[in-house]
Amino acid sequence: MKRFKLLIIALFVVSVPLLITTCYAPSDNNPIVNGNGIVEGKVFDNNGIGISGVIVSCEGKQTVTSPNGEFLLKNVPAGNRRLVNFTKDDYSSNQKLLRIVDFKQSYTEAAMFPIGIVKNVSANASFNIAVNGASVNFQSNSLVDTKGNQFTGQATIKLTYFDPFVSKFFDAFPGEFMGVEVGGTEVPIESYGFIDVEMYSGSEKLQLADGKPATVSIPIPAKLLANAPATI
């Protein structure tokens, strides 16, 4: 079985609001981005069943999904690429980028899969976590807290593997299913699967320390082996 070894890279999405001073009626082509809109949608699991109690947040606004997974988030600042976050205990978190138009409702859907494995480890030592053929190897003393200070206690590591042939895979993919080529052209992603790794000390999120990369190994499904590149 072919496997790829990659480094975990933290991605930061920065939204910069554009202030428009001229007056015009809001439309899909010309949203007023200094006003507010409404975000509505639904959150479901890998079987398409709505999940209740999911915390949905965007630009400082927050709500919780209903028993069937639906939500309505009001007074969200308008903008072209707003990040909508979805979190719930025992589920891998998700994020979606959404265009929010002033005085209008914007719709999005997200899938959240149950966390694959949870492991408590000592951050002072090197350790490995694996599930469904995917694994992550961490170096010793490789975790830091939210302030960048080295973390030396017990950490909780959560790992979930996403098989591209599993139902609701595309809905579980965070952000947009797009990538940028070396030349700068934006193209759809051709995915061989991905993982979600979350690191905590209690409720505080941990990060990888600079200069302490973790090594990721992800299996390629048998149906994709023939067309898989030798390296990525």
Side-chain angles (χ1 to χ4, degrees):
M1 177 183 291
K2 288 185 181 179
R3 305 174 74 89
F4 291 134
K5 289 190 175 181
L6 309 171
L7 298 182
I8 294 180
I9 301 175
L11 300 179
F12 298 91
V13 179
V14 179
S15 296
V16 180
L18 175 64
L19 180 62
I20 300 177
T21 56
T22 54
C23 297
Y24 53 82
S27 69
D28 289 339
N29 293 325
N30 296 304
I32 295 177
V33 297
N34 59 350
N36 295 317
I38 297 174
V39 178
E40 63 175 333
K42 186 172 184 178
V43 185
F44 40 81
D45 63 17
N46 49 312
N47 296 312
I49 300 173
I51 306 175
S52 64
V54 175
I55 298 174
V56 183
S57 60
C58 180
E59 295 294 314
K61 305 299 180 180
Q62 181 174 297
T63 189
V64 178
T65 56
S66 67
N68 64 356
E70 295 179 341
F71 68 90
L72 187 69
L73 197 57
K74 298 180 179 180
N75 298 318
V76 180
N80 286 327
R81 293 172 66 85
R82 295 303 195 198
L83 189 66
V84 185
N85 297 284
F86 305 90
T87 59
K88 183 177 181 178
D89 289 344
D90 301 324
Y91 286 86
S92 179
S93 60
N94 201 348
Q95 302 82 34
K96 294 294 180 182
L97 286 171
L98 188 64
R99 186 169 186 264
I100 301 174
V101 180
D102 194 27
F103 299 123
K104 289 193 174 184
Q105 288 183 315
S106 301
Y107 187 84
T108 188
E109 290 184 339
M112 297 178 68
F113 286 20
I115 291 173
I117 188 172
V118 179
K119 188 174 183 179
N120 294 315
V121 301
S122 172
N124 295 328
S126 60
F127 58 90
N128 170 271
I129 184 170
V131 66
N132 296 330
S135 65
V136 185
N137 288 297
F138 291 82
Q139 300 181 52
S140 60
N141 300 310
S142 61
L143 302 181
V144 295
D145 61 21
T146 53
K147 296 180 180 178
N149 300 314
Q150 183 176 334
F151 178 77
T152 58
Q154 288 291 117
T156 300
I157 313 298
K158 303 178 182 181
L159 172 63
T160 307
Y161 166 67
F162 295 82
D163 186 324
F165 290 101
V166 171
S167 176
K168 306 304 178 183
F169 170 80
F170 293 98
D171 296 297
F173 190 86
E176 299 173 321
F177 210 75
M178 301 292 291
V180 180
E181 293 182 322
V182 175
T185 303
E186 189 175 78
V187 296
I189 291 175
E190 182 179 0
S191 178
Y192 296 95
F194 69 96
I195 63 170
D196 176 69
V197 184
E198 299 181 39
M199 303 168 288
Y200 291 90
S201 170
S203 60
E204 181 184 13
K205 285 189 175 183
L206 302 174
Q207 301 281 349
L208 282 176
D210 290 341
K212 289 280 189 175
T215 302
V216 177
S217 180
I218 303 176
I220 299 178
K223 294 180 181 179
L224 299 176
L225 281 174
N227 296 322
T231 61
I232 292 181

